[in-house]
Amino acid sequence: MKKITNNSILGKITMLFNLLILVLFIVSMVFILKFDEINVVKVRETPHYEKALETMRTVEHPIKQNQAEVEYYTVKLDTLSKKAPKDKKEATELKEDIDRTKQTLSDKKAALATTDSTIAAQKVIFDPIQTHYNDLCAQTEQAKSKYTLLNWILCVVIVIKIILFAFWTYKNSKNLHHAANWMNKGASSYWAFLGWIIPVYNFVKPYTFFSEIWNETAYLLKDKSIVARDQKDDNSDFILGIWWSLFLIGMLLVPYFINGVFMQEGPMFLKLNHTGIIITAIVFWALYLLQESNVIRKYNKMNKIMFDNQDKF
């Protein structure tokens, strides 16, 4: 029989990564609260800014037409002024046309001046609103980018932790295959990694694979009389079920609610208590990571017993 390995160190490293993940998650929640503090103000100010922007656009709307009309009548007056009449009648008509054009040009310039004055007055009101709103947008983006960066770091650490957990599970599966010949009919050890990769299947397979390892190890220790056959059941199915349920909640539901509450402006943003969501998310992640560490600790004990008694297999 191949040698049984003591995999406790891998399990302990995985537990340390769980602690690191919890710290990073709590810090990321602090960052998202800072983002939310600014974002809530921005969302509240948005209707006021949009109303002021619409008013500004309405005031500015006539300016292009006024400028075009002034330019048109200026060119027309210049053209008429250069025109040489052929006779007295044409001279009279030209003078009348020039006078009308001058009057019209004067009226158009007055209209343009009125529009410019109205725009200037509106800008006095609008500019502080726009400056304040743009400042809020800049602060919001800055806070969001800090949270996003930390979130990416957290995701990388989680992936590393899952790889460590998968490698630990793989080593434990190999031990079991070496010690129990009936495991040749069970799940192959490579499922320790593959189970995490296959989409949808990874919602279930890592749990069922590890559950099989746990139960078969417990059965093997009793079958070889290494532990008492009548030893009280440790409620392993319940422990593992709680662990995996918390994992799914932490990985699926918690991000869904965080995205809906903090990154959207829909019903969840308006109706749910933002601080309450953060506290709930931290609690669920803390419970998941603590429960996983507890599962690792409990299995490490069985692994140590197998390692110390490998001559009996």
Side-chain angles (χ1 to χ4, degrees), residues 162-171 188-198 202 205-206 209:
I162 289 176
I163 293 172
L164 285 170
F165 182 86
F167 189 55
W168 175 74
T169 309
Y170 172 83
K171 298 282 285 183
S188 299
S189 299
Y190 61 75
W191 279 107
F193 296 100
L194 195 59
W196 290 96
I197 298 172
I198 302 175
N202 54 14
K205 188 59 182 178
F209 180 76

mmCIF file with all atom_site columns, all heavy atoms in Angstrom, residues 162-171 188-198 202 205-206 209:
data_model
loop_
_atom_site.group_PDB
_atom_site.id
_atom_site.type_symbol
_atom_site.label_atom_id
_atom_site.label_alt_id
_atom_site.label_comp_id
_atom_site.label_asym_id
_atom_site.label_entity_id
_atom_site.label_seq_id
_atom_site.pdbx_PDB_ins_code
_atom_site.Cartn_x
_atom_site.Cartn_y
_atom_site.Cartn_z
_atom_site.occupancy
_atom_site.B_iso_or_equiv
_atom_site.pdbx_formal_charge
_atom_site.auth_seq_id
_atom_site.auth_comp_id
_atom_site.auth_asym_id
_atom_site.auth_atom_id
_atom_site.pdbx_PDB_model_num
ATOM 1   N N   . ILE A 1 162 ? -9.524  28.580 -2.958  1.00 0.00 ? 162 ILE A N   1
ATOM 2   C CA  . ILE A 1 162 ? -10.245 27.441 -3.537  1.00 0.00 ? 162 ILE A CA  1
ATOM 3   C C   . ILE A 1 162 ? -9.259  26.423 -4.112  1.00 0.00 ? 162 ILE A C   1
ATOM 4   O O   . ILE A 1 162 ? -9.450  25.205 -3.970  1.00 0.00 ? 162 ILE A O   1
ATOM 5   C CB  . ILE A 1 162 ? -11.230 27.929 -4.618  1.00 0.00 ? 162 ILE A CB  1
ATOM 6   C CG1 . ILE A 1 162 ? -12.405 28.663 -3.955  1.00 0.00 ? 162 ILE A CG1 1
ATOM 7   C CG2 . ILE A 1 162 ? -11.752 26.765 -5.456  1.00 0.00 ? 162 ILE A CG2 1
ATOM 8   C CD1 . ILE A 1 162 ? -13.386 29.278 -4.930  1.00 0.00 ? 162 ILE A CD1 1
ATOM 9   N N   . ILE A 1 163 ? -8.185  26.918 -4.750  1.00 0.00 ? 163 ILE A N   1
ATOM 10  C CA  . ILE A 1 163 ? -7.160  26.013 -5.278  1.00 0.00 ? 163 ILE A CA  1
ATOM 11  C C   . ILE A 1 163 ? -6.495  25.238 -4.139  1.00 0.00 ? 163 ILE A C   1
ATOM 12  O O   . ILE A 1 163 ? -6.265  24.024 -4.245  1.00 0.00 ? 163 ILE A O   1
ATOM 13  C CB  . ILE A 1 163 ? -6.116  26.802 -6.092  1.00 0.00 ? 163 ILE A CB  1
ATOM 14  C CG1 . ILE A 1 163 ? -6.755  27.369 -7.361  1.00 0.00 ? 163 ILE A CG1 1
ATOM 15  C CG2 . ILE A 1 163 ? -4.923  25.914 -6.448  1.00 0.00 ? 163 ILE A CG2 1
ATOM 16  C CD1 . ILE A 1 163 ? -5.861  28.314 -8.136  1.00 0.00 ? 163 ILE A CD1 1
ATOM 17  N N   . LEU A 1 164 ? -6.183  25.934 -3.051  1.00 0.00 ? 164 LEU A N   1
ATOM 18  C CA  . LEU A 1 164 ? -5.595  25.268 -1.874  1.00 0.00 ? 164 LEU A CA  1
ATOM 19  C C   . LEU A 1 164 ? -6.543  24.223 -1.296  1.00 0.00 ? 164 LEU A C   1
ATOM 20  O O   . LEU A 1 164 ? -6.132  23.104 -0.966  1.00 0.00 ? 164 LEU A O   1
ATOM 21  C CB  . LEU A 1 164 ? -5.255  26.310 -0.806  1.00 0.00 ? 164 LEU A CB  1
ATOM 22  C CG  . LEU A 1 164 ? -4.017  27.173 -1.057  1.00 0.00 ? 164 LEU A CG  1
ATOM 23  C CD1 . LEU A 1 164 ? -3.963  28.313 -0.046  1.00 0.00 ? 164 LEU A CD1 1
ATOM 24  C CD2 . LEU A 1 164 ? -2.746  26.321 -0.965  1.00 0.00 ? 164 LEU A CD2 1
ATOM 25  N N   . PHE A 1 165 ? -7.824  24.611 -1.186  1.00 0.00 ? 165 PHE A N   1
ATOM 26  C CA  . PHE A 1 165 ? -8.820  23.675 -0.655  1.00 0.00 ? 165 PHE A CA  1
ATOM 27  C C   . PHE A 1 165 ? -8.947  22.462 -1.575  1.00 0.00 ? 165 PHE A C   1
ATOM 28  O O   . PHE A 1 165 ? -9.036  21.315 -1.100  1.00 0.00 ? 165 PHE A O   1
ATOM 29  C CB  . PHE A 1 165 ? -10.176 24.385 -0.522  1.00 0.00 ? 165 PHE A CB  1
ATOM 30  C CG  . PHE A 1 165 ? -11.256 23.522 0.070   1.00 0.00 ? 165 PHE A CG  1
ATOM 31  C CD1 . PHE A 1 165 ? -11.402 23.428 1.443   1.00 0.00 ? 165 PHE A CD1 1
ATOM 32  C CD2 . PHE A 1 165 ? -12.119 22.812 -0.743  1.00 0.00 ? 165 PHE A CD2 1
ATOM 33  C CE1 . PHE A 1 165 ? -12.395 22.623 2.000   1.00 0.00 ? 165 PHE A CE1 1
ATOM 34  C CE2 . PHE A 1 165 ? -13.113 22.010 -0.200  1.00 0.00 ? 165 PHE A CE2 1
ATOM 35  C CZ  . PHE A 1 165 ? -13.242 21.916 1.172   1.00 0.00 ? 165 PHE A CZ  1
ATOM 36  N N   . ALA A 1 166 ? -8.950  22.714 -2.891  1.00 0.00 ? 166 ALA A N   1
ATOM 37  C CA  . ALA A 1 166 ? -9.062  21.616 -3.849  1.00 0.00 ? 166 ALA A CA  1
ATOM 38  C C   . ALA A 1 166 ? -7.847  20.694 -3.762  1.00 0.00 ? 166 ALA A C   1
ATOM 39  O O   . ALA A 1 166 ? -7.988  19.459 -3.819  1.00 0.00 ? 166 ALA A O   1
ATOM 40  C CB  . ALA A 1 166 ? -9.215  22.169 -5.263  1.00 0.00 ? 166 ALA A CB  1
ATOM 41  N N   . PHE A 1 167 ? -6.644  21.273 -3.606  1.00 0.00 ? 167 PHE A N   1
ATOM 42  C CA  . PHE A 1 167 ? -5.433  20.459 -3.500  1.00 0.00 ? 167 PHE A CA  1
ATOM 43  C C   . PHE A 1 167 ? -5.442  19.650 -2.214  1.00 0.00 ? 167 PHE A C   1
ATOM 44  O O   . PHE A 1 167 ? -5.047  18.469 -2.196  1.00 0.00 ? 167 PHE A O   1
ATOM 45  C CB  . PHE A 1 167 ? -4.201  21.356 -3.568  1.00 0.00 ? 167 PHE A CB  1
ATOM 46  C CG  . PHE A 1 167 ? -2.911  20.600 -3.685  1.00 0.00 ? 167 PHE A CG  1
ATOM 47  C CD1 . PHE A 1 167 ? -2.707  19.680 -4.704  1.00 0.00 ? 167 PHE A CD1 1
ATOM 48  C CD2 . PHE A 1 167 ? -1.883  20.808 -2.769  1.00 0.00 ? 167 PHE A CD2 1
ATOM 49  C CE1 . PHE A 1 167 ? -1.509  18.966 -4.804  1.00 0.00 ? 167 PHE A CE1 1
ATOM 50  C CE2 . PHE A 1 167 ? -0.693  20.119 -2.862  1.00 0.00 ? 167 PHE A CE2 1
ATOM 51  C CZ  . PHE A 1 167 ? -0.501  19.192 -3.881  1.00 0.00 ? 167 PHE A CZ  1
ATOM 52  N N   . TRP A 1 168 ? -5.891  20.272 -1.126  1.00 0.00 ? 168 TRP A N   1
ATOM 53  C CA  . TRP A 1 168 ? -6.029  19.561 0.160   1.00 0.00 ? 168 TRP A CA  1
ATOM 54  C C   . TRP A 1 168 ? -7.014  18.397 0.021   1.00 0.00 ? 168 TRP A C   1
ATOM 55  O O   . TRP A 1 168 ? -6.745  17.289 0.486   1.00 0.00 ? 168 TRP A O   1
ATOM 56  C CB  . TRP A 1 168 ? -6.488  20.565 1.220   1.00 0.00 ? 168 TRP A CB  1
ATOM 57  C CG  . TRP A 1 168 ? -6.793  19.995 2.573   1.00 0.00 ? 168 TRP A CG  1
ATOM 58  C CD1 . TRP A 1 168 ? -5.894  19.553 3.494   1.00 0.00 ? 168 TRP A CD1 1
ATOM 59  C CD2 . TRP A 1 168 ? -8.087  19.814 3.155   1.00 0.00 ? 168 TRP A CD2 1
ATOM 60  N NE1 . TRP A 1 168 ? -6.543  19.111 4.627   1.00 0.00 ? 168 TRP A NE1 1
ATOM 61  C CE2 . TRP A 1 168 ? -7.893  19.261 4.440   1.00 0.00 ? 168 TRP A CE2 1
ATOM 62  C CE3 . TRP A 1 168 ? -9.381  20.082 2.726   1.00 0.00 ? 168 TRP A CE3 1
ATOM 63  C CZ2 . TRP A 1 168 ? -8.953  18.966 5.289   1.00 0.00 ? 168 TRP A CZ2 1
ATOM 64  C CZ3 . TRP A 1 168 ? -10.438 19.796 3.566   1.00 0.00 ? 168 TRP A CZ3 1
ATOM 65  C CH2 . TRP A 1 168 ? -10.232 19.236 4.831   1.00 0.00 ? 168 TRP A CH2 1
ATOM 66  N N   . THR A 1 169 ? -8.138  18.657 -0.624  1.00 0.00 ? 169 THR A N   1
ATOM 67  C CA  . THR A 1 169 ? -9.138  17.612 -0.839  1.00 0.00 ? 169 THR A CA  1
ATOM 68  C C   . THR A 1 169 ? -8.583  16.499 -1.740  1.00 0.00 ? 169 THR A C   1
ATOM 69  O O   . THR A 1 169 ? -8.844  15.317 -1.510  1.00 0.00 ? 169 THR A O   1
ATOM 70  C CB  . THR A 1 169 ? -10.403 18.211 -1.495  1.00 0.00 ? 169 THR A CB  1
ATOM 71  O OG1 . THR A 1 169 ? -10.828 19.354 -0.750  1.00 0.00 ? 169 THR A OG1 1
ATOM 72  C CG2 . THR A 1 169 ? -11.535 17.203 -1.517  1.00 0.00 ? 169 THR A CG2 1
ATOM 73  N N   . TYR A 1 170 ? -7.820  16.913 -2.764  1.00 0.00 ? 170 TYR A N   1
ATOM 74  C CA  . TYR A 1 170 ? -7.215  15.933 -3.678  1.00 0.00 ? 170 TYR A CA  1
ATOM 75  C C   . TYR A 1 170 ? -6.279  15.000 -2.903  1.00 0.00 ? 170 TYR A C   1
ATOM 76  O O   . TYR A 1 170 ? -6.323  13.770 -3.090  1.00 0.00 ? 170 TYR A O   1
ATOM 77  C CB  . TYR A 1 170 ? -6.443  16.682 -4.770  1.00 0.00 ? 170 TYR A CB  1
ATOM 78  C CG  . TYR A 1 170 ? -5.614  15.804 -5.657  1.00 0.00 ? 170 TYR A CG  1
ATOM 79  C CD1 . TYR A 1 170 ? -6.178  15.138 -6.741  1.00 0.00 ? 170 TYR A CD1 1
ATOM 80  C CD2 . TYR A 1 170 ? -4.237  15.645 -5.424  1.00 0.00 ? 170 TYR A CD2 1
ATOM 81  C CE1 . TYR A 1 170 ? -5.409  14.330 -7.567  1.00 0.00 ? 170 TYR A CE1 1
ATOM 82  C CE2 . TYR A 1 170 ? -3.462  14.838 -6.247  1.00 0.00 ? 170 TYR A CE2 1
ATOM 83  C CZ  . TYR A 1 170 ? -4.058  14.186 -7.313  1.00 0.00 ? 170 TYR A CZ  1
ATOM 84  O OH  . TYR A 1 170 ? -3.292  13.372 -8.124  1.00 0.00 ? 170 TYR A OH  1
ATOM 85  N N   . LYS A 1 171 ? -5.426  15.574 -2.048  1.00 0.00 ? 171 LYS A N   1
ATOM 86  C CA  . LYS A 1 171 ? -4.491  14.762 -1.267  1.00 0.00 ? 171 LYS A CA  1
ATOM 87  C C   . LYS A 1 171 ? -5.224  13.816 -0.317  1.00 0.00 ? 171 LYS A C   1
ATOM 88  O O   . LYS A 1 171 ? -4.826  12.654 -0.149  1.00 0.00 ? 171 LYS A O   1
ATOM 89  C CB  . LYS A 1 171 ? -3.560  15.673 -0.474  1.00 0.00 ? 171 LYS A CB  1
ATOM 90  C CG  . LYS A 1 171 ? -2.681  16.577 -1.316  1.00 0.00 ? 171 LYS A CG  1
ATOM 91  C CD  . LYS A 1 171 ? -1.499  15.831 -1.900  1.00 0.00 ? 171 LYS A CD  1
ATOM 92  C CE  . LYS A 1 171 ? -0.440  15.565 -0.852  1.00 0.00 ? 171 LYS A CE  1
ATOM 93  N NZ  . LYS A 1 171 ? 0.751   14.908 -1.429  1.00 0.00 ? 171 LYS A NZ  1
ATOM 94  N N   . SER A 1 188 ? -13.163 9.736  -8.716  1.00 0.00 ? 188 SER A N   1
ATOM 95  C CA  . SER A 1 188 ? -11.719 9.868  -8.901  1.00 0.00 ? 188 SER A CA  1
ATOM 96  C C   . SER A 1 188 ? -11.215 11.147 -8.237  1.00 0.00 ? 188 SER A C   1
ATOM 97  O O   . SER A 1 188 ? -11.941 12.136 -8.116  1.00 0.00 ? 188 SER A O   1
ATOM 98  C CB  . SER A 1 188 ? -11.384 9.895  -10.390 1.00 0.00 ? 188 SER A CB  1
ATOM 99  O OG  . SER A 1 188 ? -11.798 8.685  -11.011 1.00 0.00 ? 188 SER A OG  1
ATOM 100 N N   . SER A 1 189 ? -9.947  11.107 -7.846  1.00 0.00 ? 189 SER A N   1
ATOM 101 C CA  . SER A 1 189 ? -9.379  12.237 -7.098  1.00 0.00 ? 189 SER A CA  1
ATOM 102 C C   . SER A 1 189 ? -9.353  13.539 -7.890  1.00 0.00 ? 189 SER A C   1
ATOM 103 O O   . SER A 1 189 ? -9.405  14.629 -7.313  1.00 0.00 ? 189 SER A O   1
ATOM 104 C CB  . SER A 1 189 ? -7.961  11.889 -6.641  1.00 0.00 ? 189 SER A CB  1
ATOM 105 O OG  . SER A 1 189 ? -7.978  10.767 -5.778  1.00 0.00 ? 189 SER A OG  1
ATOM 106 N N   . TYR A 1 190 ? -9.275  13.441 -9.220  1.00 0.00 ? 190 TYR A N   1
ATOM 107 C CA  . TYR A 1 190 ? -9.200  14.666 -10.023 1.00 0.00 ? 190 TYR A CA  1
ATOM 108 C C   . TYR A 1 190 ? -10.447 15.531 -9.903  1.00 0.00 ? 190 TYR A C   1
ATOM 109 O O   . TYR A 1 190 ? -10.432 16.716 -10.244 1.00 0.00 ? 190 TYR A O   1
ATOM 110 C CB  . TYR A 1 190 ? -8.907  14.359 -11.488 1.00 0.00 ? 190 TYR A CB  1
ATOM 111 C CG  . TYR A 1 190 ? -9.932  13.507 -12.196 1.00 0.00 ? 190 TYR A CG  1
ATOM 112 C CD1 . TYR A 1 190 ? -11.175 14.030 -12.588 1.00 0.00 ? 190 TYR A CD1 1
ATOM 113 C CD2 . TYR A 1 190 ? -9.657  12.171 -12.499 1.00 0.00 ? 190 TYR A CD2 1
ATOM 114 C CE1 . TYR A 1 190 ? -12.116 13.255 -13.245 1.00 0.00 ? 190 TYR A CE1 1
ATOM 115 C CE2 . TYR A 1 190 ? -10.599 11.386 -13.156 1.00 0.00 ? 190 TYR A CE2 1
ATOM 116 C CZ  . TYR A 1 190 ? -11.820 11.923 -13.530 1.00 0.00 ? 190 TYR A CZ  1
ATOM 117 O OH  . TYR A 1 190 ? -12.753 11.163 -14.174 1.00 0.00 ? 190 TYR A OH  1
ATOM 118 N N   . TRP A 1 191 ? -11.557 14.950 -9.402  1.00 0.00 ? 191 TRP A N   1
ATOM 119 C CA  . TRP A 1 191 ? -12.775 15.740 -9.207  1.00 0.00 ? 191 TRP A CA  1
ATOM 120 C C   . TRP A 1 191 ? -12.594 16.819 -8.135  1.00 0.00 ? 191 TRP A C   1
ATOM 121 O O   . TRP A 1 191 ? -13.381 17.757 -8.062  1.00 0.00 ? 191 TRP A O   1
ATOM 122 C CB  . TRP A 1 191 ? -13.947 14.839 -8.838  1.00 0.00 ? 191 TRP A CB  1
ATOM 123 C CG  . TRP A 1 191 ? -14.566 14.188 -10.044 1.00 0.00 ? 191 TRP A CG  1
ATOM 124 C CD1 . TRP A 1 191 ? -14.481 12.879 -10.424 1.00 0.00 ? 191 TRP A CD1 1
ATOM 125 C CD2 . TRP A 1 191 ? -15.361 14.839 -11.037 1.00 0.00 ? 191 TRP A CD2 1
ATOM 126 N NE1 . TRP A 1 191 ? -15.163 12.669 -11.598 1.00 0.00 ? 191 TRP A NE1 1
ATOM 127 C CE2 . TRP A 1 191 ? -15.717 13.859 -11.996 1.00 0.00 ? 191 TRP A CE2 1
ATOM 128 C CE3 . TRP A 1 191 ? -15.801 16.145 -11.231 1.00 0.00 ? 191 TRP A CE3 1
ATOM 129 C CZ2 . TRP A 1 191 ? -16.496 14.149 -13.110 1.00 0.00 ? 191 TRP A CZ2 1
ATOM 130 C CZ3 . TRP A 1 191 ? -16.571 16.431 -12.339 1.00 0.00 ? 191 TRP A CZ3 1
ATOM 131 C CH2 . TRP A 1 191 ? -16.904 15.449 -13.262 1.00 0.00 ? 191 TRP A CH2 1
ATOM 132 N N   . ALA A 1 192 ? -11.529 16.691 -7.345  1.00 0.00 ? 192 ALA A N   1
ATOM 133 C CA  . ALA A 1 192 ? -11.228 17.738 -6.362  1.00 0.00 ? 192 ALA A CA  1
ATOM 134 C C   . ALA A 1 192 ? -11.008 19.077 -7.051  1.00 0.00 ? 192 ALA A C   1
ATOM 135 O O   . ALA A 1 192 ? -11.346 20.137 -6.516  1.00 0.00 ? 192 ALA A O   1
ATOM 136 C CB  . ALA A 1 192 ? -9.991  17.351 -5.562  1.00 0.00 ? 192 ALA A CB  1
ATOM 137 N N   . PHE A 1 193 ? -10.450 19.051 -8.262  1.00 0.00 ? 193 PHE A N   1
ATOM 138 C CA  . PHE A 1 193 ? -10.240 20.267 -9.059  1.00 0.00 ? 193 PHE A CA  1
ATOM 139 C C   . PHE A 1 193 ? -11.352 20.473 -10.076 1.00 0.00 ? 193 PHE A C   1
ATOM 140 O O   . PHE A 1 193 ? -11.893 21.573 -10.207 1.00 0.00 ? 193 PHE A O   1
ATOM 141 C CB  . PHE A 1 193 ? -8.892  20.188 -9.790  1.00 0.00 ? 193 PHE A CB  1
ATOM 142 C CG  . PHE A 1 193 ? -7.709  20.146 -8.873  1.00 0.00 ? 193 PHE A CG  1
ATOM 143 C CD1 . PHE A 1 193 ? -7.074  18.939 -8.590  1.00 0.00 ? 193 PHE A CD1 1
ATOM 144 C CD2 . PHE A 1 193 ? -7.231  21.304 -8.281  1.00 0.00 ? 193 PHE A CD2 1
ATOM 145 C CE1 . PHE A 1 193 ? -5.983  18.906 -7.737  1.00 0.00 ? 193 PHE A CE1 1
ATOM 146 C CE2 . PHE A 1 193 ? -6.137  21.272 -7.425  1.00 0.00 ? 193 PHE A CE2 1
ATOM 147 C CZ  . PHE A 1 193 ? -5.508  20.066 -7.148  1.00 0.00 ? 193 PHE A CZ  1
ATOM 148 N N   . LEU A 1 194 ? -11.690 19.409 -10.787 1.00 0.00 ? 194 LEU A N   1
ATOM 149 C CA  . LEU A 1 194 ? -12.656 19.519 -11.880 1.00 0.00 ? 194 LEU A CA  1
ATOM 150 C C   . LEU A 1 194 ? -14.025 19.953 -11.383 1.00 0.00 ? 194 LEU A C   1
ATOM 151 O O   . LEU A 1 194 ? -14.756 20.662 -12.071 1.00 0.00 ? 194 LEU A O   1
ATOM 152 C CB  . LEU A 1 194 ? -12.753 18.172 -12.609 1.00 0.00 ? 194 LEU A CB  1
ATOM 153 C CG  . LEU A 1 194 ? -13.426 18.187 -13.986 1.00 0.00 ? 194 LEU A CG  1
ATOM 154 C CD1 . LEU A 1 194 ? -12.698 19.120 -14.933 1.00 0.00 ? 194 LEU A CD1 1
ATOM 155 C CD2 . LEU A 1 194 ? -13.478 16.771 -14.559 1.00 0.00 ? 194 LEU A CD2 1
ATOM 156 N N   . GLY A 1 195 ? -14.387 19.520 -10.180 1.00 0.00 ? 195 GLY A N   1
ATOM 157 C CA  . GLY A 1 195 ? -15.699 19.857 -9.631  1.00 0.00 ? 195 GLY A CA  1
ATOM 158 C C   . GLY A 1 195 ? -15.924 21.351 -9.460  1.00 0.00 ? 195 GLY A C   1
ATOM 159 O O   . GLY A 1 195 ? -17.058 21.832 -9.491  1.00 0.00 ? 195 GLY A O   1
ATOM 160 N N   . TRP A 1 196 ? -14.823 22.119 -9.298  1.00 0.00 ? 196 TRP A N   1
ATOM 161 C CA  . TRP A 1 196 ? -14.935 23.576 -9.135  1.00 0.00 ? 196 TRP A CA  1
ATOM 162 C C   . TRP A 1 196 ? -15.008 24.312 -10.464 1.00 0.00 ? 196 TRP A C   1
ATOM 163 O O   . TRP A 1 196 ? -15.371 25.489 -10.501 1.00 0.00 ? 196 TRP A O   1
ATOM 164 C CB  . TRP A 1 196 ? -13.722 24.112 -8.351  1.00 0.00 ? 196 TRP A CB  1
ATOM 165 C CG  . TRP A 1 196 ? -13.713 23.721 -6.917  1.00 0.00 ? 196 TRP A CG  1
ATOM 166 C CD1 . TRP A 1 196 ? -13.045 22.669 -6.360  1.00 0.00 ? 196 TRP A CD1 1
ATOM 167 C CD2 . TRP A 1 196 ? -14.395 24.371 -5.839  1.00 0.00 ? 196 TRP A CD2 1
ATOM 168 N NE1 . TRP A 1 196 ? -13.268 22.614 -5.011  1.00 0.00 ? 196 TRP A NE1 1
ATOM 169 C CE2 . TRP A 1 196 ? -14.089 23.649 -4.655  1.00 0.00 ? 196 TRP A CE2 1
ATOM 170 C CE3 . TRP A 1 196 ? -15.235 25.484 -5.764  1.00 0.00 ? 196 TRP A CE3 1
ATOM 171 C CZ2 . TRP A 1 196 ? -14.600 24.016 -3.415  1.00 0.00 ? 196 TRP A CZ2 1
ATOM 172 C CZ3 . TRP A 1 196 ? -15.737 25.850 -4.529  1.00 0.00 ? 196 TRP A CZ3 1
ATOM 173 C CH2 . TRP A 1 196 ? -15.420 25.126 -3.372  1.00 0.00 ? 196 TRP A CH2 1
ATOM 174 N N   . ILE A 1 197 ? -14.647 23.633 -11.546 1.00 0.00 ? 197 ILE A N   1
ATOM 175 C CA  . ILE A 1 197 ? -14.485 24.305 -12.835 1.00 0.00 ? 197 ILE A CA  1
ATOM 176 C C   . ILE A 1 197 ? -15.728 24.240 -13.709 1.00 0.00 ? 197 ILE A C   1
ATOM 177 O O   . ILE A 1 197 ? -16.076 25.206 -14.392 1.00 0.00 ? 197 ILE A O   1
ATOM 178 C CB  . ILE A 1 197 ? -13.277 23.692 -13.592 1.00 0.00 ? 197 ILE A CB  1
ATOM 179 C CG1 . ILE A 1 197 ? -11.992 23.912 -12.790 1.00 0.00 ? 197 ILE A CG1 1
ATOM 180 C CG2 . ILE A 1 197 ? -13.153 24.298 -14.981 1.00 0.00 ? 197 ILE A CG2 1
ATOM 181 C CD1 . ILE A 1 197 ? -10.789 23.185 -13.354 1.00 0.00 ? 197 ILE A CD1 1
ATOM 182 N N   . ILE A 1 198 ? -16.417 23.103 -13.712 1.00 0.00 ? 198 ILE A N   1
ATOM 183 C CA  . ILE A 1 198 ? -17.552 22.904 -14.615 1.00 0.00 ? 198 ILE A CA  1
ATOM 184 C C   . ILE A 1 198 ? -18.723 23.792 -14.199 1.00 0.00 ? 198 ILE A C   1
ATOM 185 O O   . ILE A 1 198 ? -19.218 23.686 -13.071 1.00 0.00 ? 198 ILE A O   1
ATOM 186 C CB  . ILE A 1 198 ? -17.998 21.428 -14.625 1.00 0.00 ? 198 ILE A CB  1
ATOM 187 C CG1 . ILE A 1 198 ? -16.831 20.538 -15.054 1.00 0.00 ? 198 ILE A CG1 1
ATOM 188 C CG2 . ILE A 1 198 ? -19.183 21.231 -15.560 1.00 0.00 ? 198 ILE A CG2 1
ATOM 189 C CD1 . ILE A 1 198 ? -17.137 19.060 -14.987 1.00 0.00 ? 198 ILE A CD1 1
ATOM 190 N N   . ASN A 1 202 ? -20.591 22.931 -10.640 1.00 0.00 ? 202 ASN A N   1
ATOM 191 C CA  . ASN A 1 202 ? -19.785 23.334 -9.489  1.00 0.00 ? 202 ASN A CA  1
ATOM 192 C C   . ASN A 1 202 ? -20.626 23.857 -8.325  1.00 0.00 ? 202 ASN A C   1
ATOM 193 O O   . ASN A 1 202 ? -20.087 24.174 -7.267  1.00 0.00 ? 202 ASN A O   1
ATOM 194 C CB  . ASN A 1 202 ? -18.727 24.362 -9.889  1.00 0.00 ? 202 ASN A CB  1
ATOM 195 C CG  . ASN A 1 202 ? -19.320 25.565 -10.610 1.00 0.00 ? 202 ASN A CG  1
ATOM 196 O OD1 . ASN A 1 202 ? -20.534 25.780 -10.609 1.00 0.00 ? 202 ASN A OD1 1
ATOM 197 N ND2 . ASN A 1 202 ? -18.471 26.359 -11.242 1.00 0.00 ? 202 ASN A ND2 1
ATOM 198 N N   . LYS A 1 205 ? -20.998 19.652 -7.052  1.00 0.00 ? 205 LYS A N   1
ATOM 199 C CA  . LYS A 1 205 ? -19.950 18.625 -7.046  1.00 0.00 ? 205 LYS A CA  1
ATOM 200 C C   . LYS A 1 205 ? -18.908 18.788 -5.954  1.00 0.00 ? 205 LYS A C   1
ATOM 201 O O   . LYS A 1 205 ? -18.535 17.787 -5.307  1.00 0.00 ? 205 LYS A O   1
ATOM 202 C CB  . LYS A 1 205 ? -19.271 18.574 -8.424  1.00 0.00 ? 205 LYS A CB  1
ATOM 203 C CG  . LYS A 1 205 ? -18.308 17.397 -8.575  1.00 0.00 ? 205 LYS A CG  1
ATOM 204 C CD  . LYS A 1 205 ? -19.024 16.065 -8.369  1.00 0.00 ? 205 LYS A CD  1
ATOM 205 C CE  . LYS A 1 205 ? -18.064 14.894 -8.479  1.00 0.00 ? 205 LYS A CE  1
ATOM 206 N NZ  . LYS A 1 205 ? -18.742 13.605 -8.228  1.00 0.00 ? 205 LYS A NZ  1
ATOM 207 N N   . PRO A 1 206 ? -18.370 19.988 -5.684  1.00 0.00 ? 206 PRO A N   1
ATOM 208 C CA  . PRO A 1 206 ? -17.378 20.086 -4.605  1.00 0.00 ? 206 PRO A CA  1
ATOM 209 C C   . PRO A 1 206 ? -17.934 19.593 -3.267  1.00 0.00 ? 206 PRO A C   1
ATOM 210 O O   . PRO A 1 206 ? -17.207 18.968 -2.485  1.00 0.00 ? 206 PRO A O   1
ATOM 211 C CB  . PRO A 1 206 ? -17.060 21.585 -4.560  1.00 0.00 ? 206 PRO A CB  1
ATOM 212 C CG  . PRO A 1 206 ? -17.332 22.059 -5.948  1.00 0.00 ? 206 PRO A CG  1
ATOM 213 C CD  . PRO A 1 206 ? -18.528 21.268 -6.395  1.00 0.00 ? 206 PRO A CD  1
ATOM 214 N N   . PHE A 1 209 ? -18.421 15.651 -3.482  1.00 0.00 ? 209 PHE A N   1
ATOM 215 C CA  . PHE A 1 209 ? -17.109 15.000 -3.513  1.00 0.00 ? 209 PHE A CA  1
ATOM 216 C C   . PHE A 1 209 ? -16.486 14.987 -2.126  1.00 0.00 ? 209 PHE A C   1
ATOM 217 O O   . PHE A 1 209 ? -16.018 13.944 -1.644  1.00 0.00 ? 209 PHE A O   1
ATOM 218 C CB  . PHE A 1 209 ? -16.191 15.723 -4.503  1.00 0.00 ? 209 PHE A CB  1
ATOM 219 C CG  . PHE A 1 209 ? -14.815 15.131 -4.597  1.00 0.00 ? 209 PHE A CG  1
ATOM 220 C CD1 . PHE A 1 209 ? -14.609 13.950 -5.283  1.00 0.00 ? 209 PHE A CD1 1
ATOM 221 C CD2 . PHE A 1 209 ? -13.727 15.744 -3.985  1.00 0.00 ? 209 PHE A CD2 1
ATOM 222 C CE1 . PHE A 1 209 ? -13.339 13.385 -5.373  1.00 0.00 ? 209 PHE A CE1 1
ATOM 223 C CE2 . PHE A 1 209 ? -12.464 15.193 -4.068  1.00 0.00 ? 209 PHE A CE2 1
ATOM 224 C CZ  . PHE A 1 209 ? -12.267 14.014 -4.764  1.00 0.00 ? 209 PHE A CZ  1
#
